[in-house]
Amino acid sequence: MTPPPSTSASTAAAAPSAEPATPDAPPRPQAAPAPVGGLDKKAWSVLGRLLRENFRDYAARYALVFLLMGVMAATTGLLAWILRDVVNQIFVERNSTMLWVLPTVVIVASIIKGFAIYGSGMTMVRIGNSIVARMQSKIYSHVLKLGMDYFSTTHSSELITRLSHNANAARDVLNTVVTSFGRDLLTLIALLTVMIIQAPIVTVAVFIIGPIIMFSVHRLSIKMRNTARQGFAASGRLVNSMQESVQGIRVVKAFNLEEVMQDRMTKVIDENRERANRMAEIGLRTNPISEALGGVAIGLGILWGGYAVIELGHAPGSMISFIAALLLAYEPAKRLARTHLSLTAGLVGVGLMYDLLDIKPTLDPNEDGPELAVEKGEVRFEKVDFAYRKGEPVFKDFDFVAEPGKMTALVGRSGSGKSTLMALIERFYDPQSGHVLIDGQDVSKVKLSSVREQISLVSQDVYLFSGTIKENIALGRPDAPMEEIERAAKFAMAHDFIMATPKGYDTAVGENGLQLSGGQRQRISIARAMLRDARVVLLDEATSSLDTESEQLVQVAFEHLMKGRTTIVIAHRLSTILNADKICVMN
């Protein structure tokens, strides 16, 4: 920093041409380790973690699900078993009593099974939706705690995809586990019991085919895992393309980029289609094998049953019961064989979710630290070293003072570190060495939220959130009454145009405030800052994009905002800094 004579001597290292974000990107998915039992080691670890974090909280409801699935399995086995008596008692022995008893048992068992299916299904849906909501809330809460370095290296489309895709993947994995080991396994056990009792030898012979199907599915799980990872990345690119097209629609139309953007989107859509087809093809590749081998098993069962009745004189009821149980067992057995294919695809998304949740925030929020107590509002940098990237310092041994209650202006070339200075005051980053002090208190040693409460920021990039004008102003202090919101708007020279809108303060601002002009958005952001009533005000080129008339109104609003407060202003226009108490030039 090269200050005028009235300022303390300060130095700043040559800064890069822009203020880049730290390159320390969040962990990216790594190459999958060797599979163990159909799933790789990381997948087993992810599955274990998912179960530990969720099964305990939903244990009672999962117990109900398993109980109802047990009822389903028992009634399915009963329906297969009772066919023996239907054939022998009704069709062979012509027992008129059984003609009424057995159909009644079948009807009652079917009704019980139907209610069990409904009950378990609804419980699973509610658990699953609760898990999705829980995971989405957890991801969002964690993302908000991450530092600015993370957001500068991660595209928003990736976060959107993770919030939607990964939370749903967690639900799908848990549902797969429960249905596989609840409904399918219990049903298979019940039907196997019937088959073993009716024809033990042929049951053993038939189920030798099972391991062959399992082996063929196991080989496909590796391909499914890799394709699922690529599919997640392709989904992110789809969101990215749509997001950029909407946010940059003025540029798209101004430069006639519709065809260019359409071509780009078409490529991404085609990529997603190919990945989806690939995953479907891998999943369906097991069907020819399982259907053929299943047909062999059923054919052998019928062959043996017919031989036992015709040649060995067995009662036909036992063989019919065996064949019915075999036919009913085919579907749950096939689903069980394909379980780890479904788990493999789902666990990729869950793994990516945990990769995000395991990223440690680079800033300590000091939740248990002391509150920042601000009386005068002096801002001071002492021997500060800071760099976004190693070997490229923005500040080195940097000193700076913004005197309390006065306006300090920062001027200099782009990339000289002006916005970085403000980011360090806001504690978006911590310096590598030195201290950033407010009234003599190191901002890194006090509670982070208390630092932000004492600072109002008005930037050149005004961001208004979806909602009304009143809601956007109230973000400065959510509990403020309507009278104070209106007073802040009046001081910000915004009240008159607000009242001219159709619904006044209840007028919706549209996405990012596009229903309002640039000057109107800026004045709403000033009203937001005034409502906050902080001791330190940071103005980052807040009038750079305004026309002369809007700038004059905003300047009047700034005078109200800065009165009695420590103000640091970044500006390229001389008109913005004419009334500054001190002007500092940054090199």
Side-chain angles (χ1 to χ4, degrees), residues 399-464:
D399 294 317
F400 167 79
V401 177
E403 297 175 9
K406 295 185 178 181
M407 174 181 173
T408 301
L410 304 177
V411 298
R413 294 177 304 161
S414 296
S416 60
K418 302 184 297 297
S419 294
T420 299
L421 184 147
M422 288 193 171
L424 291 173
I425 296 172
E426 284 267 25
R427 207 185 162 214
F428 293 152
Y429 305 93
D430 280 337
Q432 279 78 47
S433 65
H435 305 281
V436 178
L437 309 170
I438 297 180
D439 277 355
Q441 302 158 86
D442 193 326
V443 296
S444 66
K445 306 299 182 184
V446 298
K447 190 175 181 180
L448 177 59
S449 59
S450 70
V451 174
R452 308 254 170 94
E453 286 172 0
Q454 296 294 339
I455 299 172
S456 289
L457 172 66
V458 181
S459 173
Q460 61 179 325
D461 300 319
V462 178
Y463 194 92
L464 299 185

XYZ file of all heavy atoms in Angstrom, residues 399-464:
501
model
N 0.415 -3.584 6.621
C -0.174 -2.786 7.690
C -1.235 -1.861 7.106
O -1.079 -1.345 5.990
C 0.883 -1.948 8.403
C 1.885 -2.795 9.157
O 1.459 -3.763 9.818
O 3.096 -2.511 9.055
N -2.283 -1.639 7.894
C -3.369 -0.778 7.419
C -4.226 -0.379 8.615
O -4.437 -1.173 9.542
C -4.229 -1.530 6.393
C -5.545 -0.868 6.071
C -5.599 0.202 5.205
C -6.729 -1.329 6.642
C -6.809 0.820 4.905
C -7.939 -0.732 6.348
C -7.975 0.352 5.471
N -4.716 0.867 8.581
C -5.605 1.333 9.642
C -6.771 2.099 9.022
O -6.561 2.998 8.202
C -4.870 2.253 10.647
C -5.854 2.777 11.700
C -3.731 1.516 11.330
N -7.979 1.720 9.399
C -9.180 2.490 9.081
C -9.662 3.101 10.390
O -10.075 2.379 11.310
C -10.249 1.596 8.460
N -9.595 4.403 10.493
C -9.885 5.073 11.757
C -11.373 5.031 12.070
O -12.225 5.099 11.169
C -9.377 6.513 11.702
C -7.865 6.588 11.536
C -7.366 8.014 11.357
O -8.180 8.951 11.533
O -6.179 8.175 11.026
N -11.706 4.903 13.337
C -13.113 4.749 13.735
C -13.952 5.965 13.380
O -13.517 7.119 13.534
C -13.029 4.549 15.255
C -11.707 5.121 15.657
C -10.797 4.889 14.494
N -15.148 5.702 12.888
C -16.091 6.760 12.571
C -15.751 7.564 11.342
O -16.426 8.564 11.048
N -14.732 7.160 10.588
C -14.315 7.909 9.408
C -14.392 7.041 8.164
O -14.486 5.828 8.237
C -12.885 8.436 9.598
C -12.769 9.462 10.720
C -11.368 10.036 10.797
C -11.284 11.102 11.891
N -9.920 11.693 11.954
N -14.303 7.727 7.014
C -14.382 7.035 5.725
C -12.977 6.899 5.148
O -12.271 7.892 4.943
C -15.273 7.822 4.762
C -15.314 7.264 3.339
S -16.381 8.281 2.281
C -16.073 7.545 0.681
N -12.594 5.646 4.897
C -11.303 5.345 4.280
C -11.560 4.764 2.905
O -12.294 3.778 2.771
C -10.503 4.341 5.125
O -10.301 4.886 6.429
C -9.148 4.050 4.479
N -10.965 5.373 1.900
C -11.172 4.915 0.525
C -9.960 4.132 0.043
O -8.812 4.479 0.355
C -11.424 6.109 -0.397
N -10.214 3.082 -0.707
C -9.157 2.261 -1.304
C -9.245 2.405 -2.812
O -10.300 2.178 -3.407
C -9.334 0.786 -0.925
C -9.396 0.447 0.567
C -9.636 -1.051 0.747
C -8.125 0.866 1.281
N -8.133 2.790 -3.424
C -8.081 2.884 -4.877
C -6.851 2.134 -5.356
O -5.915 1.883 -4.604
C -8.028 4.349 -5.357
C -9.278 5.102 -4.940
C -6.786 5.059 -4.813
N -6.859 1.775 -6.634
C -5.726 1.054 -7.192
C -6.176 0.153 -8.324
O -7.367 -0.027 -8.576
N -5.208 -0.432 -8.993
C -5.496 -1.301 -10.121
C -6.267 -2.544 -9.699
O -6.182 -2.982 -8.551
C -4.200 -1.741 -10.796
C -3.408 -0.624 -11.463
C -2.127 -1.189 -12.015
N -1.350 -1.861 -10.957
C -0.389 -2.742 -11.196
N -0.106 -3.101 -12.428
N 0.279 -3.275 -10.194
N -6.968 -3.120 -10.657
C -7.624 -4.406 -10.394
C -6.560 -5.445 -10.063
O -5.512 -5.505 -10.718
C -8.422 -4.862 -11.622
O -9.469 -3.965 -11.890
N -6.833 -6.228 -9.044
C -5.872 -7.251 -8.649
C -4.878 -6.790 -7.616
O -3.982 -7.555 -7.236
N -5.004 -5.568 -7.134
C -4.032 -5.078 -6.148
C -4.370 -5.503 -4.727
O -3.579 -5.271 -3.813
C -3.940 -3.548 -6.221
O -5.193 -2.950 -5.958
N -5.546 -6.107 -4.512
C -5.875 -6.647 -3.201
C -6.947 -5.902 -2.449
O -7.159 -6.143 -1.253
N -7.661 -5.002 -3.100
C -8.680 -4.206 -2.394
C -9.811 -5.097 -1.859
O -10.174 -5.016 -0.691
C -9.246 -3.139 -3.342
C -8.195 -2.188 -3.899
C -8.814 -1.087 -4.749
C -9.520 -1.630 -5.986
N -8.595 -2.308 -6.921
N -10.370 -5.935 -2.731
C -11.458 -6.817 -2.290
C -10.950 -7.863 -1.306
O -11.697 -8.308 -0.419
C -12.111 -7.492 -3.502
O -12.766 -6.542 -4.311
N -9.677 -8.250 -1.446
C -9.092 -9.204 -0.497
C -9.043 -8.600 0.892
O -9.308 -9.280 1.897
C -7.680 -9.608 -0.951
O -7.765 -10.230 -2.236
C -7.041 -10.563 0.029
N -8.698 -7.316 0.959
C -8.672 -6.640 2.255
C -10.035 -6.731 2.931
O -10.138 -7.051 4.123
C -8.252 -5.178 2.053
C -8.068 -4.321 3.295
C -6.966 -3.288 3.071
C -9.367 -3.582 3.662
N -11.092 -6.457 2.168
C -12.436 -6.549 2.743
C -12.795 -7.977 3.135
O -13.445 -8.218 4.157
C -13.455 -6.004 1.741
C -13.415 -4.494 1.589
S -14.871 -3.895 0.696
C -14.670 -2.119 0.911
N -12.367 -8.948 2.307
C -12.664 -10.352 2.621
C -12.004 -10.776 3.926
O -12.569 -11.566 4.694
C -12.191 -11.246 1.469
N -10.812 -10.242 4.207
C -10.128 -10.575 5.460
C -10.812 -9.913 6.646
O -10.868 -10.486 7.742
C -8.659 -10.143 5.391
C -7.777 -10.947 4.424
C -6.396 -10.318 4.306
C -7.652 -12.395 4.872
N -11.351 -8.692 6.446
C -12.096 -8.045 7.526
C -13.356 -8.849 7.847
O -13.696 -9.063 9.018
C -12.462 -6.596 7.137
C -11.198 -5.758 6.963
C -13.372 -5.963 8.198
C -11.460 -4.370 6.396
N -14.060 -9.289 6.806
C -15.265 -10.104 6.998
C -14.937 -11.497 7.517
O -15.816 -12.250 7.897
C -16.021 -10.245 5.663
C -16.794 -9.012 5.260
C -18.232 -9.071 5.728
O -18.505 -9.778 6.717
O -19.074 -8.408 5.108
N -13.677 -11.839 7.490
C -13.165 -13.158 7.841
C -13.746 -14.247 6.938
O -14.169 -15.312 7.383
C -13.405 -13.506 9.313
C -12.335 -14.494 9.806
C -12.540 -15.002 11.210
N -11.733 -16.211 11.364
C -12.068 -17.257 12.095
N -13.196 -17.258 12.779
N -11.285 -18.319 12.147
N -13.757 -13.946 5.633
C -14.018 -14.995 4.663
C -12.793 -15.903 4.550
O -12.902 -17.062 4.182
C -14.342 -14.393 3.297
C -15.650 -13.638 3.258
C -15.838 -12.596 2.369
C -16.697 -13.975 4.102
C -17.038 -11.900 2.309
C -17.907 -13.292 4.065
C -18.072 -12.249 3.162
N -11.635 -15.339 4.864
C -10.374 -16.083 4.903
C -9.607 -15.632 6.134
O -9.873 -14.566 6.695
C -9.513 -15.792 3.659
C -10.196 -16.028 2.334
C -10.861 -15.000 1.668
C -10.168 -17.285 1.734
C -11.492 -15.214 0.450
C -10.794 -17.514 0.518
C -11.449 -16.470 -0.119
O -12.062 -16.693 -1.314
N -8.644 -16.443 6.549
C -7.710 -16.068 7.605
C -6.335 -15.838 6.996
O -5.926 -16.579 6.092
C -7.605 -17.166 8.662
C -8.762 -17.137 9.652
O -9.374 -16.061 9.807
O -9.050 -18.176 10.277
N -5.608 -14.816 7.471
C -4.256 -14.601 6.949
C -3.322 -15.722 7.384
O -3.555 -16.375 8.405
C -3.849 -13.260 7.567
C -4.682 -13.138 8.793
C -5.977 -13.832 8.492
N -2.257 -15.931 6.584
C -1.273 -16.944 6.956
C -0.472 -16.516 8.190
O -0.038 -17.344 8.977
C -0.325 -17.224 5.783
C -0.892 -18.178 4.733
C -1.893 -17.492 3.803
O -1.628 -16.406 3.309
N -3.041 -18.121 3.557
N -0.284 -15.211 8.359
C 0.367 -14.677 9.552
C -0.096 -13.245 9.747
O -0.653 -12.619 8.844
C 1.895 -14.735 9.421
O 2.352 -13.900 8.383
N 0.168 -12.704 10.934
C -0.289 -11.369 11.251
C -1.685 -11.367 11.842
O -2.266 -12.431 12.126
N -2.233 -10.169 12.027
C -3.512 -10.050 12.720
C -4.413 -9.038 12.023
O -3.948 -7.999 11.547
C -3.296 -9.596 14.167
C -2.355 -10.467 14.942
N -2.726 -11.672 15.475
C -1.032 -10.310 15.229
C -1.693 -12.229 16.081
N -0.650 -11.422 15.940
N -5.714 -9.354 11.983
C -6.743 -8.419 11.560
C -7.544 -8.089 12.812
O -8.146 -8.977 13.436
C -7.657 -9.018 10.476
C -8.743 -8.025 10.097
C -6.853 -9.416 9.253
N -7.544 -6.805 13.190
C -8.108 -6.393 14.471
C -9.258 -5.421 14.271
O -9.214 -4.548 13.394
C -7.030 -5.720 15.331
C -5.700 -6.466 15.514
C -4.680 -5.573 16.182
C -5.922 -7.735 16.325
N -10.286 -5.586 15.077
C -11.365 -4.608 15.176
C -11.426 -4.173 16.628
O -11.659 -5.010 17.522
C -12.713 -5.182 14.707
C -12.656 -5.573 13.231
C -13.833 -4.171 14.947
C -13.947 -6.143 12.683
N -11.175 -2.901 16.858
C -11.062 -2.372 18.226
C -10.093 -3.213 19.060
O -10.366 -3.550 20.229
C -12.437 -2.313 18.901
C -13.208 -1.050 18.531
O -12.627 -0.197 17.828
O -14.376 -0.914 18.941
N -8.983 -3.579 18.443
C -7.931 -4.299 19.145
C -8.177 -5.780 19.349
O -7.359 -6.475 19.943
N -9.283 -6.311 18.830
C -9.610 -7.731 19.009
C -9.372 -8.476 17.699
O -9.892 -8.092 16.653
C -11.078 -7.888 19.427
C -11.413 -7.149 20.713
C -12.905 -6.858 20.820
O -13.672 -7.700 21.293
N -13.310 -5.673 20.390
N -8.579 -9.524 17.786
C -8.279 -10.340 16.610
C -9.560 -11.048 16.161
O -10.163 -11.806 16.937
C -7.200 -11.362 16.949
C -6.613 -12.028 15.704
O -7.370 -12.228 14.735
O -5.416 -12.354 15.702
N -9.987 -10.806 14.917
C -11.252 -11.376 14.462
C -11.203 -12.900 14.394
O -12.253 -13.564 14.396
C -11.653 -10.811 13.079
C -11.899 -9.314 13.168
C -10.610 -11.135 12.013
N -10.010 -13.494 14.332
C -9.905 -14.951 14.279
C -10.015 -15.590 15.663
O -10.110 -16.811 15.770
C -8.580 -15.369 13.634
O -7.479 -14.997 14.439
N -9.997 -14.750 16.723
C -10.029 -15.275 18.090
C -11.392 -15.119 18.760
O -11.600 -15.606 19.864
C -8.968 -14.571 18.955
C -7.549 -14.618 18.403
C -7.034 -16.048 18.262
C -5.591 -16.038 17.755
N -5.086 -17.423 17.515
N -12.302 -14.441 18.099
C -13.629 -14.234 18.687
C -14.660 -15.052 17.899
O -14.354 -15.645 16.864
C -14.014 -12.740 18.687
C -13.050 -11.939 19.538
C -14.050 -12.194 17.255
N -15.863 -15.072 18.389
C -16.938 -15.816 17.735
C -17.198 -15.244 16.344
O -17.428 -14.042 16.196
C -18.198 -15.744 18.597
C -19.315 -16.669 18.169
C -20.466 -16.607 19.169
C -21.592 -17.536 18.773
N -22.708 -17.481 19.749
N -17.133 -16.108 15.328
C -17.226 -15.642 13.948
C -18.535 -14.913 13.674
O -18.556 -13.862 13.024
C -17.071 -16.826 12.992
C -17.210 -16.525 11.501
C -16.183 -15.492 11.060
C -17.065 -17.799 10.677
N -19.639 -15.442 14.162
C -20.936 -14.810 13.897
C -20.992 -13.403 14.480
O -21.641 -12.513 13.915
C -22.065 -15.668 14.462
O -21.912 -15.844 15.868
N -20.304 -13.162 15.593
C -20.316 -11.825 16.192
C -19.516 -10.840 15.355
O -19.805 -9.633 15.370
C -19.764 -11.889 17.623
O -18.365 -12.145 17.632
N -18.492 -11.326 14.623
C -17.742 -10.458 13.711
C -18.656 -9.994 12.584
O -18.728 -8.797 12.267
C -16.512 -11.199 13.137
C -15.809 -10.344 12.081
C -15.543 -11.583 14.236
N -19.374 -10.928 11.990
C -20.237 -10.595 10.862
C -21.402 -9.691 11.280
O -21.890 -8.889 10.489
C -20.754 -11.884 10.225
C -19.625 -12.882 9.873
C -19.341 -12.972 8.428
N -18.134 -13.734 8.132
C -18.085 -15.038 7.841
N -19.207 -15.744 7.814
N -16.938 -15.624 7.564
N -21.844 -9.833 12.535
C -22.942 -8.992 13.016
C -22.542 -7.526 13.105
O -23.391 -6.637 13.052
C -23.413 -9.478 14.391
C -24.225 -10.772 14.339
C -24.516 -11.319 15.721
O -24.073 -10.678 16.708
O -25.157 -12.387 15.816
N -21.241 -7.260 13.251
C -20.762 -5.894 13.401
C -20.353 -5.263 12.073
O -19.820 -4.152 12.053
C -19.567 -5.867 14.367
C -19.897 -6.298 15.781
C -20.846 -5.336 16.471
O -20.965 -4.176 16.082
N -21.560 -5.811 17.482
N -20.585 -5.978 10.953
C -20.158 -5.499 9.648
C -21.339 -5.507 8.683
O -22.088 -6.484 8.603
C -19.024 -6.381 9.083
C -17.805 -6.349 10.014
C -18.634 -5.938 7.678
C -16.720 -7.327 9.632
N -21.489 -4.419 7.938
C -22.472 -4.359 6.850
C -21.713 -4.258 5.534
O -20.843 -3.399 5.384
C -23.394 -3.152 7.007
O -24.281 -3.331 8.089
N -22.044 -5.133 4.608
C -21.376 -5.164 3.310
C -22.358 -4.775 2.212
O -23.454 -5.326 2.124
C -20.819 -6.565 3.030
C -20.249 -6.807 1.629
C -18.999 -5.965 1.406
C -19.943 -8.290 1.417
N -21.947 -3.835 1.376
C -22.697 -3.494 0.167
C -21.739 -3.675 -0.994
O -20.730 -2.968 -1.088
C -23.238 -2.055 0.195
C -24.026 -1.778 -1.086
C -24.127 -1.842 1.412
N -22.052 -4.610 -1.872
C -21.143 -4.969 -2.955
C -21.669 -4.478 -4.292
O -22.848 -4.117 -4.432
C -20.967 -6.492 -2.996
O -20.228 -6.892 -4.124
N -20.787 -4.447 -5.291
C -21.217 -4.115 -6.652
C -22.121 -5.214 -7.215
O -22.960 -4.962 -8.083
C -20.005 -3.929 -7.554
C -19.127 -5.170 -7.678
C -17.949 -4.932 -8.603
O -18.072 -4.215 -9.573
N -16.813 -5.547 -8.285
N -21.946 -6.433 -6.726
C -22.775 -7.561 -7.165
C -23.904 -7.747 -6.160
O -23.780 -8.507 -5.194
C -21.941 -8.836 -7.283
C -20.818 -8.689 -8.288
O -21.061 -8.092 -9.349
O -19.698 -9.162 -8.001
N -24.985 -7.020 -6.367
C -26.116 -7.095 -5.435
C -26.872 -8.394 -5.657
O -27.227 -8.721 -6.792
C -27.071 -5.905 -5.640
C -28.264 -6.019 -4.700
C -26.326 -4.604 -5.413
N -27.100 -9.132 -4.579
C -27.858 -10.376 -4.699
C -29.126 -10.248 -3.875
O -29.078 -10.033 -2.660
C -27.053 -11.581 -4.229
C -27.692 -12.880 -4.656
C -27.333 -13.494 -5.848
C -28.699 -13.484 -3.893
C -27.939 -14.660 -6.271
C -29.314 -14.640 -4.309
C -28.927 -15.235 -5.492
O -29.533 -16.386 -5.923
N -30.249 -10.361 -4.569
C -31.533 -10.400 -3.887
C -32.073 -11.819 -3.957
O -32.019 -12.462 -5.012
C -32.521 -9.429 -4.537
C -32.127 -7.939 -4.528
C -33.255 -7.099 -5.098
C -31.754 -7.468 -3.131
